Amino acid sequence: MNDNKVAFIICVLDENQFIKCKSYIDDLEIPPEIEIDIISIKISKSIAEAYNTGMNKTDAKYKVYLHSNTYI
């Protein structure tokens, strides 16, 4: 587990919303010692399955679960 990594796990139903969601994440001010993963899950049977798939794709200690229409 990487203590200096944050993963944004995004359930994507609409590609345009995902692009906007990702642009907001890209605009965040991230400290130089922190690494960011942006994981998009586009095909799944449910949101829970999508989040579990994303969780298993990263070694980040901190995980942020978003839907593609969530802009931070």
Side-chain angles (χ1 to χ4, degrees):
M1 188 166 302
N2 187 336
D3 291 346
N4 293 324
K5 186 185 281 189
V6 177
F8 292 89
I9 301 169
I10 306 166
C11 182
V12 178
L13 297 178
D14 181 293
E15 188 65 27
N16 290 327
Q17 288 178 342
F18 170 68
I19 291 167
K20 185 174 180 180
C21 176
K22 184 179 178 307
S23 75
Y24 279 83
I25 295 168
D26 290 338
D27 287 342
L28 293 173
E29 290 185 30
I30 308 297
E33 67 275 6
I34 301 297
E35 193 177 339
I36 296 294
D37 272 349
I38 297 176
I39 302 167
S40 64
I41 307 297
K42 297 179 182 179
I43 300 173
S44 65
K45 295 177 186 173
S46 67
I47 292 176
E49 180 184 75
Y51 290 156
N52 280 319
T53 299
M55 179 180 64
N56 292 322
K57 289 185 174 190
T58 184
D59 66 343
K61 180 174 182 178
Y62 305 100
K63 297 166 183 74
V64 180
Y65 299 93
L66 301 170
H67 197 274
S68 58
N69 65 354
T70 305
Y71 312 123
I72 59 172

